[in-house]
Amino acid sequence: MPSPTTADEVVRALGDLRSPEELAKVRARLAPGEEAFGLRMRDLFATAKAATALPLDEVDRLLDHPAYEPRMAALCILDFKARRRIADDDRRALFDLYLGRHDRITTWDMVDRSAPRVVGGWLAGRSTAPLDDLAGSDDPLRRRTAITAPLQFVAAGSDEDVAAGFALADRLADDPDPVVHKAVGIFLKHAGTRDPDALRRVLHDRASSMARPAVRLAVEKLPAEERSRFVR
């Protein structure tokens, strides 16, 4: 696949891959009235990967598009850039673009695709104050970013980073929005592989008040006899 060099070329490439059969599937996870092209996610990812070298000002232009797929492609491009060995200034620029255009993130999968490497990848070893700010937002998707970004701490952060992630999970454990509390459960499930005792402490303190789907996710990797203590 040729490498797109502008936002317009990415949009044209995505448009060429439209699939009427996929449109209904895409619309099912979007807000009513939100525009969409309708294409397979593997095609969207392949297009975004081919555009990994797209300049950030062009990625920013993609985020202006009203349809879901160009904006999702922009977040994928940020993720692909973050996977590379890049200078700190470049990594900070990815982080700044993500947070600066968070208003263009309209679905949970946009967060999950990019927040760990783009946001968590920059904050590992640094202050997590930006995540604390996001955790206090009225926007559920910003709160999801707050607890999804620390998944990168589990993969490649220090013990202090992971502890900061557990503190965020504790703060958001009782969140009533499924977009948030399911992400808390996912973080706890994976973070528990780094620090099982911290997971048990959170569950001991919070499981009774957490949403059941979040608890079921959080205990997935625990032995069966322990899972039964928390899931009823």
Side-chain angles (χ1 to χ4, degrees), residues 161-221:
D161 292 328
V162 175
F166 273 111
L168 287 157
D170 183 73
R171 177 177 176 180
L172 294 170
D174 300 338
D175 198 294
D177 198 304
V179 165
V180 184
H181 64 238
K182 288 182 180 179
V184 170
I186 291 168
F187 171 79
L188 290 173
K189 173 175 66 174
H190 294 292
T193 64
R194 280 283 301 265
D195 192 340
D197 290 338
L199 170 61
R200 293 182 177 99
R201 285 194 296 271
V202 172
L203 289 171
H204 180 270
D205 293 342
R206 296 293 191 180
S208 62
S209 60
M210 289 170 65
R212 293 302 89 190
V215 177
R216 286 194 291 270
L217 285 164
V219 302
E220 273 187 9
K221 292 179 179 285

Side-chain angles (χ1 to χ4, degrees), residues 6 12-13 27 29 37 44 87 93 111 125 128 137 159 179 181 205-206 214-215 217:
T6 67
R12 281 196 294 273
R27 287 199 185 284
R29 61 178 179 272
F37 289 179
L44 191 155
V111 172
T128 55
S137 172
D159 290 346
V179 165
H181 64 238
D205 293 342
R206 296 293 191 180
V215 177
L217 285 164

Side-chain angles (χ1 to χ4, degrees), residues 29-64:
R29 61 178 179 272
L30 303 183
E34 188 168 3
E35 293 185 30
F37 289 179
L39 63 147
R40 295 178 180 86
M41 293 307 295
R42 68 187 181 198
D43 292 334
L44 191 155
F45 293 155
T47 302
K49 189 171 185 178
T52 299
L54 197 71
L56 284 189
D57 60 342
E58 293 294 316
V59 178
D60 198 10
R61 287 186 61 218
L62 279 177
L63 289 168
D64 285 329

Side-chain angles (χ1 to χ4, degrees), residues 95 98-99 102 111 114-154 160-172 175 180 187:
F95 168 84
Y98 180 103
L99 286 192
H102 207 297
V111 172
S114 52
R117 290 184 178 86
V118 174
V119 179
W122 169 251
L123 293 177
R126 297 181 171 88
S127 169
T128 55
L131 300 184
D132 294 327
D133 291 342
L134 289 165
S137 172
D138 292 336
D139 177 12
L141 288 171
R142 291 179 189 265
R143 301 199 302 276
R144 189 176 180 104
T145 289
I147 194 57
T148 300
L151 287 171
Q152 185 67 11
F153 300 166
V154 177
E160 289 76 14
D161 292 328
V162 175
F166 273 111
L168 287 157
D170 183 73
R171 177 177 176 180
L172 294 170
D175 198 294
V180 184
F187 171 79

